[in-house]
Amino acid sequence: MSKRYSVAVVGIGAVGTEMLKVLHQRQFPAKSIRVFARSARAEEIAGKTYQVEETTPEAFNGVDIAIFAGTEGAKGASQLYGWQAVAKGAIVIDNGDDFRMDPRVPLVVPECNAEALKQHQGFIANPNCSTIQMVVALAPLHRVARIRRIVVSSYQAVSGTGRSAIDELQNQVTAIEKGQEPKAQVYPHRIAFNLFPHIGRPSDEMPGYYTEEVKMRRETRKILGDPEIQVSATCVRVPVFNAHSETVNVQFEKKMSAAQAREVLKSAPGVVVIDDPAKAAYPTPLMASGTDPVYVGRIRDDVSLPNTIDLWCVSDNIRKGAALNAVQIAEKMIEMGLI
Ligand SMILES: NC(=O)c1ccc[n+]([C@@H]2O[C@H](COP(=O)([O-])OP(=O)(O)OC[C@H]3O[C@@H](n4cnc5c(N)ncnc54)[C@H](OP(=O)(O)O)[C@@H]3O)[C@@H](O)[C@H]2O)c1
């Protein structure tokens, strides 16, 4: 019989909840799945009741794989318990930003750079959601013609902020329908029937950019293993419940056309091409939400530069952008004999 693993999911917000669904849907070889959060309680998820345990260092005793979906920062689960879990023998797969650029930590999208897992020291990072969907679409093209520069604008759903923001959009829509003044608590501006070019904090490292935009630049370089790729991002929060969209302009070193890119992407792992503008066929967040692929459409030659294309990509930020990618990392490590 093939090996089964003792799994822990840390955090039970938007991502942790999806993680549990993905583990079950993919029939992950788990002999047990425990759920940790800040406080112990019972939680019902997809018709199943979980006894949530309080996260402590001792809770990781006997855990083989710990997938972290807690909040980021000094009080977040990853900084408090991540390396302690590794010291207790667990493989940690972390969804947050705290250790993504740490040289000890592979930053992995299995379709793009699974080889990086061989260097692991027990702690693996899942990239940012907006980066994951972009690199799934771009890595196969990079292999063919080497990317020189990327200019990306994102249209990011509120689920990317977590449960509180999903509730905020819903509450604001309901308030507006009732003729009441909507309250903005999670975001600096009303999000219902609005949008704003602001995700994360103002960056110290790259003045003028917000941190989400900096993540897209540095994570893309680390995943594609090419520190010379130029990336400039503008990240926009839009009033969509789930699934992020991106317009991506990509300049290549070698010859690349829209027709060639379409052919490469048609057989690329994790990618589904929907690209027939005459029939209004292109991906949308509504169609991508709840599904696994990165959808790509509107692939066209940039009329202003040679060897440069534009494309539109859409993916479920909670699934491929977080929970699914983390579970795929664990599956890949098992397949590679690393766990
Ligand atoms: N949402 C996305 O699209 C997305 C995409 C990629 C990555 N991520 C990352 O994934 C992580 C989770 O995001 P989310 O959207 O699911 O957040 P969320 O909805 O706010 O949920 C956070 C969860 O983490 C738990 N938690 C926080 N601090 C903890 C601690 N010190 N110890 C144990 N548990 C702790 C909370 O516990 P309680 O329930 O007890 O409060 C809660 O269950 C974040 O790092 C986020 O940046 C999110």
Side-chain angles (χ1 to χ4, degrees):
M1 206 176 93
S2 60
K3 194 172 167 193
R4 302 189 84 77
Y5 301 86
S6 161
V7 177
V9 173
V10 186
I12 195 111
V15 174
T17 303
E18 194 66 27
M19 195 79 70
L20 294 168
K21 289 185 200 158
V22 171
L23 286 165
H24 286 290
Q25 285 163 353
R26 295 175 73 84
Q27 299 183 319
F28 190 83
K31 64 180 173 211
S32 62
I33 299 179
R34 292 163 65 198
V35 180
F36 303 158
R38 279 183 290 212
S39 58
R41 73 250 186 194
E43 285 267 359
E44 198 183 307
I45 295 161
K48 192 170 165 12
T49 303
Y50 291 86
Q51 293 305 322
V52 179
E53 301 171 49
E54 183 187 341
T55 316
T56 62
E58 295 69 38
F60 293 95
N61 289 337
V63 171
D64 301 313
I65 302 169
I67 311 185
F68 277 65
T71 41
E72 294 165 353
K75 290 186 180 164
S78 315
Q79 284 202 27
L80 289 175
Y81 307 110
W83 288 99
Q84 295 198 58
V86 173
K88 288 186 176 290
I91 293 288
V92 167
I93 302 169
D94 183 26
N95 273 281
D97 178 52
D98 300 291
F99 298 100
R100 287 184 187 141
M101 297 313 291
D102 187 318
R104 296 169 295 176
V105 174
L107 181 64
V108 175
V109 179
E111 294 90 336
C112 305
N113 67 333
E115 287 297 295
L117 290 168
K118 289 183 182 161
Q119 313 304 326
H120 84 87
Q121 297 179 33
F123 196 118
I124 296 96
N126 214 27
N128 187 37
C129 44
S130 49
T131 310
I132 292 179
Q133 70 182 68
M134 185 172 78
V135 296
V136 168
L138 296 191
L141 305 177
H142 181 59
R143 275 182 220 115
V144 173
R146 194 167 180 214
I147 293 171
R148 300 297 346 116
R149 180 168 184 254
I150 299 166
V151 180
V152 53
S153 293
S154 70
Y155 306 75
Q156 296 185 220
V158 295
S159 62
T161 311
R163 227 178 224 171
S164 56
I166 299 171
D167 294 343
E168 176 145 309
L169 174 56
Q170 185 60 66
N171 292 340
Q172 289 182 355
V173 170
T174 306
I176 292 163
E177 276 172 358
K178 290 181 180 164
Q180 296 165 353
E181 188 58 33
K183 288 194 190 82
Q185 287 164 329
V186 175
Y187 292 128
H189 305 283
R190 180 176 124 183
I191 184 65
F193 309 109
N194 195 18
L195 53 80
F196 39 84
H198 173 177
I199 302 186
R201 290 170 282 103
S203 164
D204 298 328
E205 185 186 337
M206 282 170 40
Y209 286 86
Y210 283 107
T211 47
E212 183 86 350
E213 295 158 350
V214 176
K215 288 178 195 177
M216 290 196 79
R217 177 180 171 89
R218 62 186 191 189
E219 292 180 17
T220 298
R221 289 170 156 192
K222 181 166 177 177
I223 296 161
L224 297 183
D226 189 341
E228 289 174 20
I229 294 178
Q230 290 302 325
V231 183
S232 184
T234 304
C235 294
V236 181
R237 186 70 68 193
V238 297
V240 166
F241 279 111
N242 193 37
H244 293 348
S245 307
E246 294 170 351
T247 54
V248 194
N249 180 270
V250 203
Q251 186 177 8
F252 296 88
E253 183 175 282
K254 297 183 199 150
K255 203 167 161 25
M256 176 60 74
S257 66
Q260 200 183 345
R262 203 173 286 113
E263 276 318 298
V264 171
L265 290 174
K266 272 183 187 163
S267 56
V271 174
V272 171
V273 175
I274 301 176
D275 195 12
D276 192 348
K279 293 186 177 153
Y282 35 71
T284 68
L286 269 187
M287 58 149 292
S289 184
T291 73
D292 291 349
V294 172
Y295 298 92
V296 181
R298 299 294 320 278
I299 306 167
R300 60 201 189 276
D301 292 307
D302 176 344
V303 292
S304 69
L305 273 178
N307 299 322
T308 304
I309 62 166
D310 283 292
L311 58 81
W312 167 252
C313 75
V314 184
S315 190
D316 184 326
N317 51 295
I318 299 290
R319 283 186 79 87
K320 184 56 188 167
L324 173 64
N325 197 70
V327 173
Q328 286 173 320
I329 289 173
E331 290 170 348
K332 186 55 88 174
M333 291 185 79
I334 293 169
E335 186 190 312
M336 291 168 76
L338 298 171
I339 311 182

